[in-house]
Amino acid sequence: MIALLFLGLGTACKETPTKKESIQPDDSRFTQKVLIEGLEEPLQLEFDRDGYVYWIERIGNVKRFNEKTGEVEMLGTLDLTKETAPGLIGILLDRDFESSRQIFLFYSAAADQGNALRLARFELNKDNKLDIANEKIILSVPWEQPDGQHFGGGMTWDEEGSLYLSIGADSHPTQYSPLPFKNEGGRGEDEARTAGNTNDLRGTIIRIRPHADGTYSIPEGNLFGEGTPNTLPEIYVMGNRNPWRLSIDSKTQYLHWGEVGPDAGVDSGEFGPMGYDEFNVAKTAGNFGWPYFIGYNRAYNSYDYSTREYGEPYKPDSSYNDSPNNTGLKILPPAREALIAYPYQVSEEWPILGSAARSAVGGPIFRKKGFKENAERVFPDYFEGKWFITDYVRNWIMVVKMDEKRSKVLSLERFLPAGQLTHSQPLDMDFSPNGDLYMVEYGIGGQGKISRIEYNAGNRAPIARANSSALDGKVPLELWLSSEGSMDLDGDPLTYKWTIVEIDGTYKETFTVTNPTLHLKEAGKYLVQLEVSDPGRLSSKDSLQIIAGNTQPQVKFKILEGNQSFYFPDAVIKYEVSVEDREDGNLSDGNIRKEDVVVNAQYIPSGMGYPQLDLLNKEGKLNTDTKLRHLNAKALVQKSNCLSCHLEERKLVGPSFQDITKRYKEDPKAFELLSKSIAEGGSGKWGDMSMPPQPMLSPPEISQIVDYILKINSEDGTSNNLGTIGHYQTIAFNKRGRGSRLDTYFRTPLEMGSYVFMASYTDKGSPEKDGLDLMGKDYFLLRYPVLAPEDADFFSDEGISYTPSTNDPGFIFTGKGGHIGFRGIDLKGINLVKIGAPNRFWHWSHFVGATIELRSGSPDGQVIGEPYIIPSAPIGDKGPFFGESMGSPAIFDVSKSNGIVDLYIVVKNLQANESNALIMMTGIEFIK
């Protein structure tokens, strides 16, 4: 995993809280806006004073964004090593950037062939491009790990002009302290050779003072004085495993950072403590303990390299490094405790941090004096001196309040509720000069983003909500218009203005009352608009369209026989479509012809749910002529760089998708061949041109794109037209390629797709005016009989921790437990429900078990089948745990249940502590 640093500023002096500082701002004053999308592995950002935001992408790009114009510029691309290596992982603007135009970058250069990471300085030329030819190499760090795990890369300045750089420990992930080794010289294993080595820059945060000629000096106060034998004077902090974002508090000048710990989920009598992630503060140079201590100086057991046995725990005040791979001092500086430490399970100290995988990032310290007086949107005094932190996996943003000495945490609180934030995989946060909190959201395959959170200290615009008692009907049409739901968050009185205009007509009417009555005497299309305004002259609008002279048909797709929630291989459903129209009559009495009703079925291999269908319908994109099968694939093609070389119908740089379809139409291995070409690249298949690999696309995404290409001219990619009544046989197709996150834990040879049935009827309109015809439609969904817990319709407020940013089985029940629920599940013909409920995974084995119940109607509803007990995870097994070793599924006999119910899954353990993790949940399978 990646590891980096961060920026901040400051001199310790006593803080005097004011009454204003104690008032927490309302969440509604904050707004998140996505500024830039489609980025390839963005990692860090920086700001200049002229309104530009700079960032790096791990693939080598340096870019910037103009806050005023919204323009994005490519400043340059570094020549990275072709070997597997960290890439471009650090950026820092010079302190005098506006005059010097200098940028510091930390990266794995092609010239170093993956054997080093270099800190180098570049300048922007007159055309705002990196002058790569005149690179100044400041410092080089030998690097061993070809896969580039644990490599740091964050940078920041202090007020005296010292540059801080975090460097990871250059080793494989482990459960506990990685002292034993098998590789020669401990390569990739023994972190006593790096983080515990006073003579190695890996596993440290260094502090240097760069000079104009490309050299640097050592500031006073680093951990080791210049000339001290077996030490490196650049080291400011040692004993780091995977340090990420660095920040300097502008008031205290203390260094802050996040630290990613090892993977063990439980303590071990043989090795020592479980893994913890940390948030750390260094007031002065020091040793933060790794690989001998973790968290609050919890000691690992000492290791005897001669006997290969473990002994007594190390002691923080007198730890030693006797590894044969150590080139530094034997006796190490005293170890320091973390400010905050949290494990996989729920922290007893800070339960607000949740339970799941973890990856502590860090963030900035808010100091109001760091902003100009005319800064637009500076956060309020409530946040003065507080540290904003985030976790790459758990996805929260927390605000840390510390005591005056900055040595103890007084409180932790969530910054904005999860539903108000749209970010995922945050890798960097910092305040811009104008006061906004910017965030880098990591992503591959064009999924990376940069967003910002803005604070509005003044008047907020009101919110308009326009409603009507009906949207259509025969004339004369009487309607009751309602502004219910309109509001002003500041509590200001509102004025209302309704405007009704006939589209393509002359009629216009206005009202200034809250809820007027509207009388439409003439047939036509009318736009109804509501504008609400506050005393500060801020306003907002909402609108809707009314059809007078016609009534929308009512269409219903009904399944008469067969399960109404799921499809099964070779099952047959019996269906019927009904249509009722006030003016035209109905389908059953023959006034509406069957030929005028469009009915079809579409199969979507990648699956689809009601939320996606409802959104398409709301946006007006769901009709019987909408091809649903390849919507996801087309979106992926748009976001990736496929369209820079390929078009659907004609040759560009590479062949068209239709030409590819023709060539591979009869090839039984076409799916595998094309999937490999997209993932790995290739050449020679279409002349001299070569196709670059697409490592940013996941296997499920590649499968969707290949399916789109191969089916581009096929009837399978469109819909199957049906009659208004009949039978339909559902088919379960064999999986090609790799499936989604759900497939990882529910192994099946079949695709977890969906069938969507749609029916529509367009009526004859109005005899009084042309163009008033209306469509009625209905859609119905049958899913593959495996559901993901995160796709539930109902969730308990407590007892659930979910991390959507990774492919881990990260849906976890905690504390006393919680529940999820699915709306309208048809249990007809279902005999068993199997729930994947592991009590361990990978190196996580800290789960204490729980009782699982199926209930109908509500979390307290009737119990279905017998409750199932998942035991506590066995103690002593070392893992890693995959497949059957993760634990047996919970199986419920539901054969006596019938009909459609809201199905609730209740997980509870009343004897558990609030800090316990009970079970994970991977999926719910319904078996005939």
Side-chain angles (χ1 to χ4, degrees), residues 11 29 52 75 99-100 220 241 246 252 259 298-299 302 304 335 447 545 561 657 694 696 707 855 886:
T11 38
R29 291 194 174 276
Y52 286 93
L75 305 183
S99 58
S100 72
E220 290 291 329
R241 182 179 184 266
L246 304 179
T252 65
E259 182 98 27
R298 295 199 66 193
S302 58
D304 189 319
Q447 300 300 309
Q545 182 176 280
E561 294 179 9
F657 289 153
Q694 301 292 321
M696 287 76 175
D707 179 73
R855 291 180 178 267
M886 292 168 61

Side-chain angles (χ1 to χ4, degrees), residues 874-885:
I875 298 173
D877 294 352
K878 296 180 181 179
F881 308 110
F882 295 107
E884 292 182 1
S885 67

Side-chain angles (χ1 to χ4, degrees), residues 768-820:
E768 301 176 53
K769 192 168 186 175
D770 293 336
L772 298 185
D773 50 304
L774 289 172
M775 176 191 286
K777 62 186 173 186
D778 190 26
Y779 48 90
F780 198 93
L781 175 72
L782 292 180
R783 294 176 283 186
Y784 186 83
V786 176
L787 302 179
E790 61 268 25
D791 292 335
D793 300 302
F794 313 104
F795 300 89
S796 57
D797 293 332
E798 297 180 347
I800 293 175
S801 175
Y802 175 53
T803 55
S805 57
T806 73
N807 199 42
D808 296 330
F811 198 96
I812 298 173
F813 288 86
T814 64
K816 303 295 183 183
H819 68 263
I820 60 174

Side-chain angles (χ1 to χ4, degrees), residues 10-13 159 249-254:
T11 38
C13 58
E159 67 179 3
D249 182 351
S250 62
K251 181 176 182 179
T252 65
Q253 290 299 292
Y254 297 159

Side-chain angles (χ1 to χ4, degrees), residues 209-248:
R209 192 159 297 162
H211 301 304
D213 61 359
T215 63
Y216 64 85
S217 58
I218 305 298
E220 290 291 329
N222 275 7
L223 189 55
F224 306 108
E226 292 188 76
T228 303
N230 301 320
T231 67
L232 294 177
E234 292 89 351
I235 297 174
Y236 182 72
V237 168
M238 69 172 289
N240 301 118
R241 182 179 184 266
N242 198 11
W244 283 51
R245 297 294 165 247
L246 304 179
S247 296
I248 293 288

